[in-house]
Amino acid sequence: MQKKQELYAGKAKSVYTTDDPDRLVLLFRNDTSAFDGEKKAQLDRKGAVNNRFNAFIMQRLAASGIETHFEKLLANDESLVKKLKMFPVECVVRNIAAGSICRRLGVQEGVDLNPPTFEFFLKNDALHDPMINEYHIRSFGWARDHEVAQMKELTFKVNDVLKRLFADAGMLLVDYKLEFGDFHGRVVLGDEFTPDGCRLWDVATRKKLDKDRFRQGLGGVVEAYEEVAHRLGVDLSGI
Ligand code: ADP
Ligand code: UDP
């Protein structure tokens, strides 16, 4: 598959067209950012680790009946994906309170959320990704009712699959963000699932093994991502 023009360079990934109008190349870069791009760094190996990590998770989700955009690994830091028409919303499920929900609602980090809670955010850096509800999505036409229903259903289905996967490897899946898009009328999981977009804690020590290590200046960011990958059995050979 021939990589052609750069379509878009985001904060952590770049997107390229290919000779197939239905396929894109996703390049996972070492760029890392937090707080709407205010804190930035280059983290050696991160792009390649996340690319392999994402491939592993997307394949597990596909095996559980969740359609994803992932097609195949092309290089250490590149994957071929289906070209989706992305819905401009982020779907977040939380099993344990952490991050913005603590700041917004004054709850303590670490409180169990039973049942898990769901939040929509608008993908808009200039507005700092504000939280939105289903009525906003409907009224502004960001997605249709059945698409909203499917995004919620699929995001919870991902929780069932991944909570167990991480638990079996000694980790708590605290929360995560997913993005979906339309592919020929189907709602398909896009973007990435990596420690850049979720929170993972060691079950025994509650050590943070995700991007909070970068946000909070804890160090050992990529080392933590690699530890998670090793525990899951993700193949990191050659990177
Ligand atoms: P951001 O845009 O938030 O800075 P990234 O650096 O991760 O994020 O950029 C990747 C961009 O590619 C995101 O805007 C994401 O919505 C988009 N994207 C991810 N997967 C696909 C896909 N399969 N088809 C089209 N766009 C995608
Ligand atoms: N998240 C993300 N991209 C965003 C916002 C959030 O990947 O633009 C992830 C984040 O890593 C966490 C979850 O979504 O796993 C919930 O994030 P939260 O709302 O707590 O925001 P944060 O405090 O992490 O900015």
Side-chain angles (χ1 to χ4, degrees), residues 8 10-13 15 24 26 69 81-84 86 123 125 179 190-192:
Y8 175 75
K11 295 185 291 298
K13 299 192 293 301
V15 180
L24 295 173
L26 275 193
H69 68 157
V81 299
K82 296 184 182 92
K83 180 179 182 172
L84 309 182
M86 300 303 288
K123 244 186 101 69
D125 283 339
E179 293 181 26
D191 205 48
E192 67 180 289

Side-chain angles (χ1 to χ4, degrees), residues 182-198:
D182 171 276
F183 188 71
H184 299 292
R186 305 198 297 278
V187 174
V188 171
L189 177 62
D191 205 48
E192 67 180 289
F193 191 104
T194 70
D196 266 358
C198 70

Side-chain angles (χ1 to χ4, degrees), residues 35-196:
F35 314 121
D36 296 316
E38 256 175 58
K39 179 173 179 173
K40 284 189 203 158
Q42 282 280 320
L43 298 178
D44 211 30
R45 297 194 313 284
K46 193 206 68 159
V49 171
N50 275 0
N51 185 42
R52 294 275 181 92
F53 195 105
N54 180 63
F56 178 91
I57 297 286
M58 291 279 170
Q59 284 165 326
R60 287 300 179 100
L61 295 175
S64 301
I66 297 162
E67 188 178 5
T68 87
H69 68 157
F70 179 77
E71 297 268 302
K72 63 174 180 177
L73 287 168
L74 293 177
N76 277 346
D77 53 2
E78 284 182 353
S79 287
L80 184 71
V81 299
K82 296 184 182 92
K83 180 179 182 172
L84 309 182
K85 191 170 176 295
M86 300 303 288
F87 303 114
V89 300
E90 301 183 336
C91 302
V92 171
V93 159
R94 300 177 190 272
N95 295 306
I96 298 175
S100 73
I101 198 170
C102 296
R103 298 191 292 274
R104 270 182 284 120
L105 303 182
V107 288
Q108 253 197 312
E109 183 180 87
V111 171
D112 277 326
L113 301 172
N114 196 6
T117 198
F118 184 100
E119 295 169 343
F120 279 116
F121 294 89
L122 179 65
K123 244 186 101 69
N124 185 321
D125 283 339
L127 297 177
H128 311 293
D129 293 351
M131 191 162 80
I132 53 172
N133 66 35
E134 293 176 36
Y135 289 88
H136 298 128
I137 299 179
R138 223 172 275 147
S139 304
F140 292 105
W142 292 319
R144 292 177 290 178
D145 284 2
H146 68 279
E147 294 163 335
V148 171
Q150 279 184 61
M151 284 194 273
K152 278 202 305 189
E153 192 186 320
L154 288 166
T155 304
F156 277 117
K157 202 167 169 192
V158 166
N159 203 33
D160 293 338
V161 177
L162 296 188
K163 243 190 340 190
R164 193 166 324 123
L165 182 80
F166 287 112
D168 288 346
M171 289 170 280
L172 294 167
L173 176 58
V174 172
D175 59 31
Y176 56 92
K177 181 268 297 178
L178 301 180
E179 293 181 26
F180 294 88
D182 171 276
F183 188 71
H184 299 292
R186 305 198 297 278
V187 174
V188 171
L189 177 62
D191 205 48
E192 67 180 289
F193 191 104
T194 70
D196 266 358

